[in-house]
Amino acid sequence: KSDSWKKFMYFIIVFLIMLIPVSGISAESERDWMTNEEFLVKLSEIVEASDGKVETDVAGYSTQGNEVMSVRVGTGDQVLLITGSIHGNEKSGGEALVEILEYLGTSDSSFAQSVRNEITIVAIPRYNVDGLEIPQRQNIFPWDEVVSAYPHLEGAAPAWYYNERNGGFDINRDFNADL
């Protein structure tokens, strides 16, 4: 089992390295990033092409009402949770994760089959759905809406990981599901 795990981690590292922008070229000009609508279509295409190897579910909703999708591939005893795009201005991780899920879910290669047999991958490719659309690092949650949702915060200063200028939380600093 550990051999497949090592091969899988090597595969991910090599894949992510390939996505690093060439110096001097901005990430925005290097490729077209998926909108959330395109992302949902892509997930549907992967599920359909996977013949039941890939499942999706709505893990929750953003403060703006957008679906936060989870994707599951594999049936192994080892479970690996992978999140992508926790910061809205960092799109490459989520995009790479979608490509990895597509490969693992649709490939008949012996490598993909062994990963699916030994590992269950649960992924949230777009953790910060709202921030990705702008793009901004934080989610979108204006402080007046925070206080409205959590009245006990009336008169309190925003948390240190709240950005008043952008009106949102850096969700990599607090894993409160309600933020």
Side-chain angles (χ1 to χ4, degrees):
K1 285 188 176 187
S2 64
D3 191 44
S4 291
W5 178 255
K6 288 177 188 175
K7 287 180 183 177
F8 177 69
M9 293 310 294
Y10 176 77
F11 171 76
I12 287 179
I13 290 166
V14 169
F15 190 79
L16 291 174
I17 289 171
M18 291 186 321
L19 291 173
I20 294 173
V22 177
S23 62
I25 300 175
S26 74
E28 285 76 22
S29 66
E30 187 163 319
R31 66 183 287 170
D32 291 328
W33 302 107
M34 287 185 279
T35 65
N36 199 49
E37 190 174 300
E38 292 167 333
F39 164 73
L40 294 172
V41 168
K42 181 68 172 175
L43 283 187
S44 295
E45 291 170 353
I46 293 170
V47 168
E48 187 174 319
S50 77
D51 293 324
K53 295 181 207 88
V54 177
E55 299 173 357
T56 59
D57 195 13
V58 177
Y61 294 89
S62 71
T63 58
Q64 301 300 299
N66 292 309
E67 295 176 335
V68 177
M69 301 299 296
S70 68
V71 183
R72 184 182 187 107
V73 62
T75 57
D77 291 336
Q78 285 188 308
V79 178
L80 177 64
L81 173 65
I82 306 173
T83 61
S85 299
I86 196 165
H87 294 133
N89 60 343
E90 298 170 357
K91 297 182 177 196
S92 59
E95 300 265 335
L97 186 49
V98 168
E99 292 182 30
I100 291 169
L101 293 166
E102 181 175 29
Y103 169 75
L104 291 175
T106 61
S107 175
D108 291 327
S109 74
S110 60
F111 173 72
Q113 289 175 6
S114 75
V115 170
R116 288 192 306 264
N117 290 336
E118 297 183 26
I119 303 170
T120 299
I121 298 170
V122 178
I124 301 177
R126 291 184 152 218
Y127 206 81
N128 185 356
V129 180
D130 298 335
L132 281 165
E133 290 297 305
I134 296 178
Q136 76 177 24
R137 181 180 182 88
Q138 300 78 15
N139 68 353
I140 301 171
F141 203 178
W143 189 250
D144 60 331
E145 292 179 22
V146 172
V147 172
S148 178
Y150 304 96
H152 61 283
L153 293 176
E154 180 74 44
W160 65 271
Y161 49 89
Y162 183 81
N163 185 303
E164 293 185 69
R165 183 176 50 108
N166 291 340
F169 290 90
D170 183 341
I171 59 177
N172 191 32
R173 305 297 182 253
D174 183 12
F175 288 90
N176 182 333
D178 293 329
L179 298 178

